[in-house]
């Protein structure tokens, strides 16, 4: 009977050791899976951060390009407006010059008359 008890105890010990070994194997696997998941999560976070920075850079460059286009268009329009203003000024100056040439003597005489009447 004692032999059977020892055998039963040995069997129980072996079974218990087997269960403990399986638990330890499962724990090791779980740690490995957790470490892999953690690594993937960190890689995904870095990938997202890289994509965000890339998108920011892309949009910033596009905005700069658009600003340059608008600046060039505005400068062109301002130059055209300035040219038109200069042409208008030249036309007015020519008209004033013509009026002076046509009326200079009469104006001088009128100014002299008014100045001497006082």
């Amino acid at each position: 009977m004692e032999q059977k008890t020892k055998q039963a105890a040995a069997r129980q010990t072996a079974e218990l050791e087997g269960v403990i070994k399986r638990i330890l194997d499962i724990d090791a696997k779980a740690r490995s899976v957790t470490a892999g998941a953690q690594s993937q999560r960190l890689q995904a976070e870095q990938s997202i951060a890289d994509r965000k920075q890339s998108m920011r850079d892309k949009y910033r460059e596009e905005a700069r390009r658009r600003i340059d286009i608008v600046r060039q268009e505005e400068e062109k329009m301002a130059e055209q407006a300035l040219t038109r203003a200069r042409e208008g000024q030249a036309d007015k100056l020519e008209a004033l010059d013509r009026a002076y040439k046509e009326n200079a003597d009469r104006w001088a005489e009128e100014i002299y008359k008014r100045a001497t009447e006082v």
Side-chain angles (χ1 to χ4, degrees), residues 71-89:
R71 181 181 301 124
Q72 291 171 1
E73 289 174 358
E74 289 293 324
E75 286 174 357
K76 183 179 177 182
M77 289 176 16
E79 189 63 38
Q80 290 171 348
L82 184 59
T83 299
R84 284 191 305 272
R86 286 181 180 156
E87 288 170 355
Q89 183 182 21

Side-chain angles (χ1 to χ4, degrees), residues 7-111:
Q7 286 177 347
R11 211 173 336 138
Q12 279 183 333
T13 303
E15 286 176 8
L16 187 57
E17 286 176 0
V19 169
I20 291 172
K21 184 179 181 312
R22 281 187 297 213
I23 290 173
L24 291 175
D25 288 345
I26 290 170
D27 182 58
K29 252 186 202 176
R31 288 176 192 259
S32 174
V33 169
T34 301
Q38 179 70 11
S39 174
Q40 286 179 345
R41 184 179 70 81
L42 292 174
Q43 288 175 351
E45 286 176 356
Q46 184 61 45
S47 174
I48 289 170
D50 291 345
R51 282 183 179 170
K52 282 171 58 175
Q53 187 60 44
S54 174
M55 290 175 75
R56 281 187 186 122
D57 293 343
K58 177 184 168 188
Y59 289 132
R60 192 173 290 126
E61 185 58 36
E62 179 65 19
R64 284 187 186 123
R65 188 185 66 77
R66 287 181 182 176
I67 288 170
D68 286 342
I69 289 170
V70 170
R71 181 181 301 124
Q72 291 171 1
E73 289 174 358
E74 289 293 324
E75 286 174 357
K76 183 179 177 182
M77 289 176 16
E79 189 63 38
Q80 290 171 348
L82 184 59
T83 299
R84 284 191 305 272
R86 286 181 180 156
E87 288 170 355
Q89 183 182 21
D91 290 345
K92 289 177 184 175
L93 189 56
E94 285 177 24
L96 188 59
D97 222 15
R98 278 192 309 270
Y100 170 76
K101 286 178 183 176
E102 291 173 5
N103 301 308
D105 293 335
R106 191 170 46 95
W107 289 342
E109 190 177 315
E110 184 67 28
I111 292 170

